[in-house]
Amino acid sequence: MAEEFGPSKDSIAIWVKQATPVMIQGRSKTLKDVQQLEKRLAILEEENEILSRLA
């Protein structure tokens, strides 16, 4: 595929890894999904910390 379309083998390997789903609690997620969920979790934890200080 690398020869036909131009991207390097390393790039293709990274894309495959990012697109390969993983099972988390019985649900299929991609690496991108997991990264977005981790980012959202960090934001919510920070908001929770701020709210707990105010209470």
Side-chain angles (χ1 to χ4, degrees), residues 2 5 8 10 25 40-41 45-48 50 52:
F5 294 104
S8 70
D10 291 334
Q25 295 181 347
R40 180 69 178 139
L41 177 61
E45 287 175 338
E46 185 177 344
E47 290 173 354
N48 243 358
I50 292 168
S52 69

Side-chain angles (χ1 to χ4, degrees), residues 8-54:
S8 70
K9 291 179 183 180
D10 291 334
S11 293
I12 293 171
I14 291 169
W15 297 338
V16 169
K17 182 178 178 182
Q18 289 175 340
T20 301
V22 293
M23 295 299 287
I24 300 175
Q25 295 181 347
R27 295 183 180 184
S28 176
K29 301 286 181 195
T30 64
L31 180 59
K32 184 177 180 180
D33 294 334
V34 172
Q35 289 171 337
Q36 289 174 339
L37 290 170
E38 288 175 342
K39 184 177 180 180
R40 180 69 178 139
L41 177 61
I43 291 168
L44 291 172
E45 287 175 338
E46 185 177 344
E47 290 173 354
N48 243 358
E49 180 64 29
I50 292 168
L51 290 173
S52 69
R53 283 190 232 147
L54 294 174

